[in-house]
Amino acid sequence: MKVHEYQAKQLLAEFGVPVPRGGVARTAAEAREIAAGLAGKVVIKAQVHAGGRGKAGGIKTVSSPDEAQQAAKRMIGSRLVTHQTSPEGVPVSAVLVEEAIDIERELYLGVVIDNTAGMVVIMASEAGGMDIEEIARTSPDKILKAHIDPALGVHPFRARRLAFDLNLAPAQIRPATEIISNLYKLFEAKDCSLAEVNPLAITCDGRILAVDAKLNFDDNASYRQRAVAELRDTEQEDPLEVDAKSRGIENYVKLDGNIGCIVNGAGLAMAVLDLLKQVGGGAANFLDIGTLNEPDRVVQAFRILTSDPDVKAVLVNIFGGMARVDIIAQGIVAAANQMMIGVPVVVRLAGTNVDQGERILNESGLQLIRAYSMQEAAQKAVEAAKKSS
Ligand code: GDP
Ligand code: MN
């Protein structure tokens, strides 16, 4: 789950990472009021779940409350397109109004999970402000890394080492060390999957401030992070994904192909995506119904896929381990009874209770395209999608 910059900054401040003074505005009048309270130059920042705003016109520096109001008026209610969004962009419903900072240097500071190492890694760089992926690609030596054993946490000397390696002034070592430790503490306490400050600014008067902030949270921890879950802004998310979550399907991701896939297990989902590509097709989604033995899961999955106009064929590929194939088959029949499925459906079933599952489908009289291997299923789905589109 992602949150807005202003929400991320509130959390940073709580954990002792300094941020610029400011407030969030949902109307141009509110933006004016906040700007008047701050006095001097202010920055108006579009609040969207995407980076690259600077280059896309989502960040404006202004010199008066009037100008702040005008800038906010232009942004609020518009859609912002950045290199990180879809071509339609994302809606801007709020702006962050902050004191403008005189920046001398822009650093990068990030905390992520290194899956290969099985540890958390703190990354820092003197080449902040820009696209860190670009830096990682072109000059990886400019990124400092400190792997942190989650059982031990961040030892002060590790944070201090990073601060030294960022070539800071002596007076900045202590605050920088604290910022690094505190960002790590926030990451751990709130079950983040990413905590990133870019830029971490060194101001002309020598302070260190988080000028931009991005926090992503591990959805698997949402049950114990109620306060974080309340920060969710579904307006920034894909409507079909939001719908899927509300229907109890956690693992649904919209993709750009035309075959709607219903599978169980993330591994099988990936394999299906690969296979479809291999035979010249493409999945319209990644949808994992999990291993809950509940026919309604299948019905809900069909509901989501049939409401997506990109879906020209549905591929059901189930391997019953813990999941029971007969229950899935019941779900397919129930879906066909409850809704109009206007596209061809390819079904391949294997595993636990497959014979009962086959029987249920055969006796249902449904017009299904049957396949008995993954390869065959993928090929038939691609052909069916071609014919129906
Ligand atoms: P992003 O483009 O979505 O990552 O948004 P950022 O908040 O990182 O802003 C992009 C760039 O705008 C930063 O790297 C800064 O160079 C600049 N910027 C943002 N806020 C300020 C500010 O208060 N003062 C100054 N001088 N520059 C700012
Ligand atoms: Mn940024």
Side-chain angles (χ1 to χ4, degrees):
M1 186 190 103
K2 297 178 178 179
V3 295
H4 287 292
E5 176 193 9
Y6 78 91
Q7 297 166 322
K9 281 176 165 168
Q10 279 164 4
L11 282 168
L12 287 179
E14 267 174 47
F15 278 77
V17 177
V19 298
R21 291 181 301 131
V24 67
R26 295 184 189 281
T27 65
E30 276 170 24
R32 183 199 172 85
E33 215 169 287
I34 297 166
L38 292 168
K41 275 195 184 175
V42 297
V43 185
I44 312 294
K45 309 181 81 175
Q47 296 301 288
V48 291
H49 285 187
R53 296 166 302 165
K55 287 181 186 143
I59 295 176
K60 287 269 180 298
T61 307
V62 298
S63 317
S64 70
D66 273 344
E67 284 177 31
Q69 182 165 7
Q70 283 159 22
K73 197 174 170 196
R74 273 193 299 274
M75 282 184 205
I76 296 170
S78 73
R79 293 183 79 87
L80 188 68
V81 181
T82 84
H83 73 272
Q84 290 185 6
T85 69
S86 67
E88 300 89 62
V90 274
V92 182
S93 297
V95 294
L96 177 59
V97 183
E98 273 186 352
E99 57 171 333
I101 304 300
D102 288 326
I103 300 177
E104 191 175 275
R105 283 176 70 198
E106 296 196 336
L107 310 176
Y108 171 90
L109 180 63
V111 185
V112 286
I113 291 168
D114 180 340
N115 290 307
T116 314
M119 282 197 262
V120 180
V121 61
I122 304 178
M123 295 190 289
S125 177
E126 288 186 71
M130 297 164 263
D131 209 348
I132 197 68
E133 284 82 6
E134 178 70 12
I135 304 286
R137 205 165 50 78
T138 55
S139 34
D141 50 302
K142 284 192 182 157
I143 300 178
L144 310 166
K145 288 183 181 175
H147 280 88
I148 308 296
D149 185 328
L152 301 176
V154 62
H155 214 281
F157 84 89
R158 302 291 305 280
R160 201 152 53 232
R161 179 80 257 160
L162 278 174
F164 269 111
D165 291 343
L166 286 169
N167 290 314
L168 301 171
Q172 289 161 354
I173 297 293
R174 219 186 139 88
T177 302
E178 270 172 26
I179 288 171
I180 293 166
S181 302
N182 291 343
L183 187 66
Y184 179 88
K185 283 176 193 154
L186 163 61
F187 178 93
E188 186 184 273
K190 298 294 177 185
D191 289 311
C192 293
S193 54
L194 169 77
E196 190 179 71
V197 177
N198 188 27
L200 178 66
I202 311 287
T203 67
C204 294
D205 54 6
R207 290 177 302 148
I208 311 178
L209 285 179
V211 161
D212 189 14
K214 179 172 171 181
L215 297 180
N216 294 351
F217 299 89
D218 182 349
D219 292 336
N220 294 312
S222 59
Y223 73 95
R224 64 179 185 192
Q225 296 288 355
R226 293 287 156 77
V228 168
E230 277 173 20
L231 303 179
R232 187 160 171 223
D233 179 0
T234 51
E235 190 190 66
Q236 297 285 320
E237 299 174 13
D238 183 282
L240 285 171
E241 293 183 9
V242 174
D243 187 38
K245 277 212 185 81
S246 75
R247 294 176 185 279
I249 293 177
E250 290 295 327
N251 292 321
Y252 171 82
V253 181
K254 174 88 176 97
L255 301 171
D256 56 13
N258 64 1
I259 297 163
C261 304
I262 297 175
V263 304
N264 62 328
L268 184 56
M270 306 268 215
V272 167
L273 301 194
D274 285 352
L275 256 178
L276 287 174
K277 268 267 153 18
Q278 217 175 57
V279 298
N285 67 282
F286 174 113
L287 190 159
D288 168 13
I289 56 167
T291 46
L292 196 74
N293 281 314
E294 172 57 60
D296 191 54
R297 274 291 174 99
V298 182
V299 177
Q300 298 304 346
F302 268 100
R303 251 188 230 298
I304 292 155
L305 296 189
T306 50
S307 66
D308 180 350
D310 295 341
V311 170
K312 303 299 180 205
V314 171
L315 167 56
V316 183
N317 188 359
I318 296 295
F319 182 84
M322 303 251 275
R324 284 170 44 194
V325 169
D326 53 326
I327 306 254
I328 306 281
Q330 282 169 20
I332 297 172
V333 176
N337 286 337
Q338 290 179 32
M339 73 193 83
M340 167 71 200
I341 303 172
V343 294
V345 179
V346 180
V347 182
R348 181 251 173 178
L349 304 172
T352 310
N353 292 357
V354 66
D355 294 343
Q356 284 105 301
E358 292 289 343
R359 193 170 338 114
I360 291 167
L361 292 188
N362 290 337
E363 288 170 1
S364 72
L366 291 176
Q367 296 282 330
L368 301 168
I369 301 170
R370 301 305 317 276
Y372 299 92
S373 75
M374 297 244 312
Q375 186 80 23
E376 185 192 5
Q379 263 156 357
K380 286 188 167 169
V382 172
E383 279 163 30
K386 261 195 203 124
K387 264 191 216 146
S388 82
S389 55

